[in-house]
Amino acid sequence: MTRHLARRLASTFVTLVVVSLVTFWALDATPGDAASALVGENASRAQLQAVRAELGLDQSLFTRYATFATQVFTRGDLGRSLVSRRAVGALVLERLPYTLILAFTATFLAIILGMTMGTLAAMRGGSWLDTGLMSGAAFMLAVPTFWSALMLMLLFSLKLRWLPVVGAETPWHLVLPATTLALPTGAVIARLVRVSLLDVLGADFVRTAHAKGIAPRDVLTRHTLRNSLIPVVTVVGLHLGHLLGGAFIVETIFALPGLGRLTVQAIFDRDAPVVLGATLTVAAIYLAINLLVDLAQGWLDPQVAHAAV
């Protein structure tokens, strides 16, 4: 297990280097830079060159990336914002809690919604309830996130006036953004749980458990659900990373002051250090979640842990 963890940590480091390199190159290839955004359209060429020299943007791409990579991977320093001149690490830590709370709340809602829908559909396989639940899951998966956000906002905020429209002052402000993010992920979990449960329900060990006279509820909770959770855990882990990325759009629509809004504003300002810092933070969290998913799979199925070692 120690060798497996060492290999995963090494691959995580390599992945972060690749992510930083690709993001750095993509930002450099984008027209305009922070100096242009700072001096405005009416500035002279000399003023523009002076600001570029002050920000270090007149250096070659290799030199700038080497400086950035050395700071990040040797000292953990993400640099300073080219616009606000604040430390990027402080900006990220200031906004990250909003994004993490939103993503984990959405994941929790998606698990509850998906497990409930998938279990009910599998237990009533082939019935009108099964058809209705799976049709609902297909609708939840097909609807674009921005459309469902606007519809939820229109219904629950503007028409019924049950929930606030935008902001992050109270826990009620999280309900609509988290529900918006949870719908597509809950649909995926529901379909996966249904298929996985239908496979496990026909297995020999389940029939043996019923033959021993174990109560149906105990067979479902102790034997069936646990064995059907392995693919679900993988999907939940992958979609949690997806939710961190999808939160960028939802945070903008609901005006949540999270990492997504910080990144979107930094892209408009051509503030490369902030974009890189936010991207690397999300990538590191995503890779850490994948590592935890591997460990969870090993706990659910010891054969997986043995194969990994």
Side-chain angles (χ1 to χ4, degrees), residues 102 105 109 152 163-164 170-181 254:
L102 175 61
T105 304
L109 291 177
L152 289 173
L163 296 166
T170 68
W172 295 109
H173 287 83
L174 267 180
V175 175
L176 290 184
T179 304
T180 302
L181 283 176
F254 289 98

Coordinates of all heavy atoms in Angstrom, one line a residue, residues 102 105 109 152 163-164 170-181 254:
L102 N -20.3 24.8 -1.4 CA -21.3 24.6 -2.4 C -21.1 23.2 -3.1 O -22.1 22.5 -3.3 CB -21.1 25.7 -3.5 CG -22.0 25.6 -4.7 CD1 -23.5 25.6 -4.4 CD2 -21.6 26.7 -5.7
T105 N -22.1 20.4 -0.5 CA -23.6 20.4 -0.3 C -24.3 19.8 -1.5 O -25.2 19.0 -1.4 CB -24.1 21.8 -0.1 OG1 -23.4 22.4 1.0 CG2 -25.6 21.8 0.2
L109 N -26.6 16.4 -1.6 CA -28.0 16.4 -2.2 C -28.0 15.4 -3.4 O -29.0 14.7 -3.5 CB -28.4 17.8 -2.7 CG -28.6 18.8 -1.6 CD1 -28.9 20.2 -2.3 CD2 -29.7 18.4 -0.7
L152 N -35.1 27.6 -11.6 CA -35.2 27.5 -10.1 C -35.3 28.9 -9.5 O -36.1 29.2 -8.6 CB -34.1 26.8 -9.5 CG -34.0 25.2 -9.8 CD1 -32.7 24.6 -9.3 CD2 -35.2 24.6 -9.1
L163 N -37.1 31.7 -1.4 CA -35.6 31.7 -1.2 C -35.0 32.9 -1.8 O -35.6 33.5 -2.8 CB -35.0 30.4 -1.9 CG -35.4 29.1 -1.3 CD1 -35.1 27.9 -2.3 CD2 -34.8 28.9 0.0
P164 N -33.8 33.4 -1.3 CA -33.2 34.6 -1.8 C -32.7 34.3 -3.2 O -32.3 33.2 -3.6 CB -32.0 34.8 -0.8 CG -31.8 33.5 -0.2 CD -33.1 32.8 -0.1
T170 N -26.7 34.0 4.1 CA -27.3 33.0 5.0 C -27.2 31.6 4.3 O -27.0 31.5 3.1 CB -28.8 33.3 5.2 OG1 -29.5 33.1 4.0 CG2 -29.0 34.7 5.7
P171 N -27.4 30.5 5.1 CA -27.5 29.2 4.5 C -28.5 29.0 3.5 O -28.4 28.2 2.5 CB -27.7 28.3 5.7 CG -27.2 29.0 6.9 CD -27.5 30.5 6.6
W172 N -29.6 29.8 3.5 CA -30.7 29.7 2.5 C -30.2 30.1 1.2 O -30.8 29.7 0.1 CB -31.9 30.5 2.9 CG -32.6 30.1 4.2 CD1 -32.5 30.7 5.4 CD2 -33.3 28.9 4.4 NE1 -33.2 29.9 6.3 CE2 -33.7 28.8 5.7 CE3 -33.7 27.8 3.5 CZ2 -34.5 27.8 6.2 CZ3 -34.5 26.8 4.0 CH2 -34.9 26.8 5.3
H173 N -29.2 30.9 1.1 CA -28.6 31.3 -0.2 C -28.0 30.1 -0.9 O -27.7 30.2 -2.1 CB -27.6 32.4 0.0 CG -28.2 33.8 0.3 ND1 -28.5 34.1 1.6 CD2 -28.5 34.8 -0.5 CE1 -29.0 35.4 1.6 NE2 -29.0 35.8 0.4
L174 N -27.7 29.0 -0.2 CA -27.0 27.9 -0.8 C -28.0 26.9 -1.5 O -27.6 26.1 -2.3 CB -26.2 27.1 0.2 CG -24.7 27.5 0.4 CD1 -24.1 26.6 1.5 CD2 -23.9 27.3 -0.9
V175 N -29.3 27.0 -1.1 CA -30.2 26.0 -1.5 C -30.3 25.9 -3.0 O -30.2 24.8 -3.6 CB -31.6 26.3 -0.9 CG1 -32.6 25.3 -1.4 CG2 -31.5 26.2 0.6
L176 N -30.6 27.0 -3.7 CA -30.8 27.0 -5.2 C -29.5 26.7 -5.9 O -29.5 25.8 -6.8 CB -31.4 28.3 -5.6 CG -32.8 28.6 -5.2 CD1 -33.3 29.9 -5.8 CD2 -33.7 27.5 -5.6
P177 N -28.4 27.3 -5.6 CA -27.1 26.9 -6.3 C -26.8 25.4 -6.1 O -26.4 24.7 -7.1 CB -26.1 27.8 -5.7 CG -26.8 28.9 -5.1 CD -28.1 28.4 -4.7
A178 N -26.9 24.9 -4.9 CA -26.6 23.5 -4.6 C -27.5 22.6 -5.4 O -27.1 21.5 -5.9 CB -26.6 23.2 -3.1
T179 N -28.8 22.9 -5.4 CA -29.8 22.1 -6.1 C -29.5 22.1 -7.6 O -29.6 21.0 -8.2 CB -31.2 22.6 -5.8 OG1 -31.5 22.7 -4.4 CG2 -32.3 21.7 -6.5
T180 N -29.1 23.2 -8.1 CA -28.8 23.3 -9.5 C -27.7 22.4 -9.9 O -27.7 21.7 -10.9 CB -28.4 24.8 -9.9 OG1 -29.5 25.7 -9.6 CG2 -28.1 24.9 -11.4
L181 N -26.6 22.4 -9.1 CA -25.5 21.5 -9.3 C -25.8 20.0 -9.1 O -25.2 19.1 -9.7 CB -24.3 21.9 -8.5 CG -23.5 23.2 -8.9 CD1 -22.4 23.5 -7.8 CD2 -22.9 22.9 -10.2
F254 N -25.5 33.0 -9.5 CA -26.1 33.4 -8.2 C -25.3 34.4 -7.4 O -25.6 34.6 -6.2 CB -26.3 32.1 -7.4 CG -27.4 31.2 -7.9 CD1 -27.1 30.1 -8.7 CD2 -28.8 31.4 -7.6 CE1 -28.1 29.3 -9.2 CE2 -29.8 30.6 -8.1 CZ -29.5 29.6 -8.9

